Amino acid sequence: MSSPWIEGLRSVSLSVPDLDQAEAFYTSVWRLEVAHRGADALYLRGSGRDAYLLALYRRDGSPQILRVTLRSHSAEALAEVAKRAVAAGGQLLRTTSAVDDPAGGIGILVRDPHGRVFEVVHGDVQHGAVAPERDRPQRLTHVVLNSHAVDETQAFLTQAFGLRLADRTAAIAFMNCNSDHHTLAIGVSDNDALNHIAFLMPDGDAVMRGGGRMKDAGYPIQWGPGRHGPGNNLFNYFIDPFGVVIEYTAEVEQVDDSYLARGPEDWKWPPGRVDQWGISAAPGTTLKEAQRRVLFAPL
């Protein structure tokens, strides 16, 4: 289950009002490290190969999502994605050109019909093979974006990026581009906000220890611990200091072309359950409201 053009998810860019507070939280508590500082910008990396996972830009007001960055298989794939995104109803905001950030490379910028902005890059800086580090996020494994028109959003991601439907529940369409069960997922909603960003941890113990570390720092688990159905991944959900929903996850199901997508009728839990284990309560109002607040910045 791989896209002909997209290799995987690289990073997410957000605006936040206070970079000092962001740095303190994301380095000391969340366990990323500073990759680069720029004028009113902070780039944070995990323990994996990507140059950075989060790009944070200082802007007054509520946080906004600026773009989701994907990595293409080749330079030729960028031209194909640009053409296909426009044909799918999107807008090409930047043609293939040098990317002006610490990771470098070349890239394009596209906006989908509902205002979500995606950057696709190739040739960006990557670190050599590295071993996982205890309790540190390795990379991003998926981003969930809300949609008021899930079928339309799914069609755009398929036509523009070659993503495929891995599974569909009553609440989410899970889209795939590589061996991870899902890379981008679309949450059923009445708005088009950022739902959450998921960081891959080395193992289940790291997910659990991360929950304790966040709790000690004053950031309670908003949902979890648990194990999802689609993706079979472990999870703990939190809200960062600015209201952004972030997830520690591990053991994401690996799939190939033999995997068969299932529908909502296949993903039903017994009464009172919201995951495989049935330990955690359902997500509360605080989390659900946070999953609707972070909107794409208008361009």
Side-chain angles (χ1 to χ4, degrees):
M1 296 183 73
S2 59
S3 163
W5 308 292
I6 301 300
E7 174 185 313
L9 173 64
R10 203 276 305 274
S11 58
V12 174
S13 299
L14 303 164
S15 69
V16 295
D18 188 331
L19 287 183
D20 290 337
Q21 184 182 16
E23 180 175 344
F25 170 78
Y26 277 107
T27 58
S28 298
V29 184
W30 200 248
R31 297 285 176 91
L32 299 178
E33 68 179 43
V34 175
H36 184 81
R37 290 184 182 87
D40 290 327
L42 180 68
Y43 301 86
L44 298 160
R45 66 168 300 226
S47 66
R49 298 188 62 186
D50 297 311
Y52 65 85
L53 308 182
L54 282 183
L56 303 177
Y57 299 89
R58 196 204 68 77
R59 292 185 184 177
D60 293 335
S62 300
Q64 294 180 306
I65 178 169
L66 306 180
R67 60 188 172 274
V68 174
T69 298
L70 307 168
R71 182 180 291 117
S72 72
H73 287 296
S74 66
E76 292 75 18
L78 293 177
E80 186 64 26
V81 169
K83 180 176 67 177
R84 292 175 64 89
V86 171
Q91 180 182 2
L92 186 61
L93 302 176
R94 188 182 73 219
T95 58
T96 302
S97 57
V99 177
D100 184 20
D101 75 21
I106 58 174
I108 61 172
L109 199 66
V110 301
R111 180 166 54 195
D112 82 357
H114 301 143
R116 302 176 193 86
V117 177
F118 297 93
E119 181 181 46
V120 186
V121 300
H122 179 70
D124 56 317
V125 172
Q126 296 184 61
H127 299 277
V130 290
E133 296 181 26
R134 177 184 168 96
D135 293 348
R136 287 196 61 204
Q138 296 170 267
R139 59 178 173 89
L140 299 187
T141 181
H142 63 264
V143 173
V144 178
L145 304 172
N146 291 348
S147 178
H148 73 277
V150 173
D151 291 343
E152 293 177 21
T153 304
Q154 178 183 328
F156 178 83
L157 295 178
T158 299
Q159 295 168 28
F161 303 134
L163 272 61
R164 303 181 186 183
L165 182 70
D167 279 300
R168 176 75 181 264
T169 68
I172 298 179
F174 297 86
M175 307 294 292
N176 169 281
C177 75
N178 54 33
S179 61
D180 284 347
H181 176 271
H182 52 284
T183 306
L184 295 177
I186 313 159
V188 177
S189 181
D190 60 0
N191 79 353
D192 300 314
L194 169 67
N195 187 291
H196 70 269
I197 306 167
F199 294 77
L200 183 70
M201 298 295 274
D203 52 38
D205 280 350
V207 172
M208 297 300 287
R209 285 192 296 266
R213 186 172 61 251
M214 288 286 284
K215 182 180 177 182
D216 290 346
Y219 300 93
I221 297 173
Q222 298 290 337
W223 185 25
R227 185 182 285 278
H228 285 306
N232 197 39
N233 49 309
L234 306 178
F235 66 85
N236 269 330
Y237 287 77
F238 311 88
I239 300 174
D240 85 351
F242 310 103
V244 179
V245 180
I246 48 180
E247 176 190 2
Y248 278 148
T249 191
E251 301 181 11
V252 178
E253 183 175 8
Q254 300 297 288
V255 299
D256 57 24
D257 288 340
S258 68
Y259 186 86
L260 299 178
R262 287 170 282 182
E265 65 282 357
D266 300 307
W267 294 111
K268 292 182 179 180
W269 303 114
R273 283 188 174 233
V274 289
D275 74 316
Q276 291 192 48
W277 291 348
I279 297 171
S280 176
T285 301
T286 300
L287 181 66
K288 290 180 179 180
E289 289 179 351
Q291 290 172 319
R292 295 173 42 81
R293 276 200 296 262
V294 181
L295 302 173
F296 276 86
L299 294 178

